Amino acid sequence: MTLHTLPFSASRGHDFKLSVPALDFRPGEIFGLLGPNGAGKSTLLHSLAGHLPESRRAVSWDGVSRAKLGQREWARRVAFVAQDSTAPSDLSIRQFVQLGRVPFTGWLRTTTRTDRYVVDHALEQCGLDSIQHTSIDRLSGGQHQRAKIARALAQEPRALLLDEPTNHLDLAAIRDTVELLRTLASTSVALIVSLHDLDLASVFTDRAAIVNCGSVVAAGPTASVVTPAMIQNHWGVDMIHTSDGSRSRYLLRHDFPPRTSQATEAAQLAGTRDDPPAALRAPIEPLEALT
């Protein structure tokens, strides 16, 4: 069972249009969407989530289009984690995650034993079970990201779409989020992730697509798509490329001169001045010694 697209075009606003070729997203695979700001990555994710009318006949799950499945059935298969989302501050983590069961329960139906089990499992997967009764507005950035992923997992999706899941996170939270997503992929969930960090994409994703100027300009295994030439062509920057034989790594190349502190600069300037005469360098004698 796969998430698949036929060629289509979608727009968000009056000034932007995205052209999408046929793509497929496989179970157990992490697929990266890469590209400069404003290239169309978020538009593509929203299209795959079925949020844009133009995509609903072109995007399908196991051969059945989003238009035929309908919103609730689609949400039972495909879950979307937005980059920025807010939650009512009076909700606990558990109540927030439980919102993911709405495609199964509706808004007014009481939860069943199955619903409670699924929420328990999602909280445990994301390492939130011990703090599940904490208010959602008291979480750190990394914890809030895991809560959003847990809510998506409560939908029991087979494809999980994530828009910049490591954005605004510190290094430890990025590591934890990546480890969580790799674990989810091992359970045969298809992950489609938009990223800005090309180095992270090179070691984290299996396949990738580069999106630029409203088009998918390349797609395939990450190592063949993310190359120094492609980065120069579509980001306009040079990257230092290294490889250990199995994975490529990228570091931004720059020509900035090294910075020096103000104290160092003052010392350097002082060293360039002519030394004063020896008589002026001598210590001043006390006044009593001169009388």
Side-chain angles (χ1 to χ4, degrees):
M1 293 186 291
T2 60
L3 180 64
H4 179 78
T5 74
L6 298 172
F8 72 94
S9 295
S11 59
R12 293 179 72 193
H14 299 292
D15 302 323
F16 183 81
K17 192 169 187 177
L18 175 69
S19 296
V20 182
L23 295 170
D24 64 281
F25 306 94
R26 304 162 188 166
E29 176 184 72
I30 301 176
F31 193 106
L33 300 180
L34 315 174
N37 280 337
K41 301 185 299 297
S42 293
T43 300
L44 179 49
L45 279 175
H46 280 279
S47 297
L48 296 174
H51 297 163
L52 304 183
E54 302 98 320
S55 69
R56 291 174 188 166
R57 295 190 181 279
V59 178
S60 64
W61 177 258
D62 201 24
V64 184
S65 72
R66 157 69 174 81
K68 288 184 178 179
L69 278 175
Q71 182 177 356
R72 177 171 290 188
E73 289 298 320
W74 189 259
R76 295 182 181 187
R77 293 161 176 79
V78 179
F80 178 72
V81 179
Q83 182 179 162
D84 297 309
S85 61
T86 58
S89 59
D90 58 343
L91 291 182
S92 68
I93 297 172
R94 184 180 184 86
Q95 290 169 326
F96 177 71
V97 173
Q98 195 166 299
L99 293 175
R101 298 303 294 166
V102 169
F104 297 87
T105 66
W107 287 104
L108 301 177
R109 217 183 84 189
T110 57
T111 57
T112 65
R113 181 181 298 178
T114 298
D115 298 323
R116 291 190 290 272
Y117 171 81
V118 172
V119 170
D120 286 342
H121 186 53
L123 288 165
E124 184 178 357
Q125 281 182 290
C126 296
L128 298 170
D129 46 325
S130 63
I131 59 170
Q132 61 181 286
H133 300 298
T134 302
S135 175
I136 195 75
D137 64 351
R138 295 181 57 189
L139 300 185
S140 67
Q143 290 171 327
H144 194 266
Q145 184 63 269
R146 281 186 282 146
K148 291 195 294 182
I149 295 173
R151 182 183 61 179
L153 293 180
Q155 293 175 224
E156 299 183 85
R158 303 316 306 158
L160 183 58
L161 317 176
L162 303 105
D163 194 3
E164 296 286 350
T166 58
N167 198 25
H168 304 310
L169 301 185
D170 63 27
L171 292 175
I174 291 173
R175 177 203 61 202
D176 293 343
T177 300
V178 168
E179 289 179 353
L180 170 61
L181 296 180
R182 288 174 67 90
T183 299
L184 293 176
S186 70
T187 64
S188 295
V189 175
L191 298 180
I192 302 97
V193 185
S194 70
L195 294 167
H196 272 302
D197 189 331
L198 297 181
D199 184 52
L200 179 60
S202 70
V203 297
F204 173 48
T205 63
D206 303 299
R207 289 192 301 144
I210 293 180
V211 184
N212 196 17
C213 299
S215 297
V216 176
V217 297
T222 302
S224 66
V225 170
V226 182
T227 65
M230 291 294 283
I231 294 170
Q232 176 61 49
N233 287 341
H234 298 289
W235 281 264
V237 297
D238 290 324
M239 303 290 282
I240 298 171
H241 174 235
T242 64
S243 175
D244 61 4
S246 60
R247 290 288 192 178
S248 295
R249 301 299 304 269
Y250 288 91
L251 180 67
L252 180 65
R253 187 192 300 275
H254 62 77
D255 298 318
F256 306 135
R259 282 181 51 81
T260 55
S261 67
Q262 290 181 344
T264 302
E265 290 175 352
Q268 290 173 343
L269 288 173
T272 62
R273 297 173 185 150
D274 293 332
D275 288 338
L280 296 180
R281 293 202 307 268
I284 298 175
E285 294 291 339
L287 184 60
E288 292 80 5
L290 302 178
T291 58

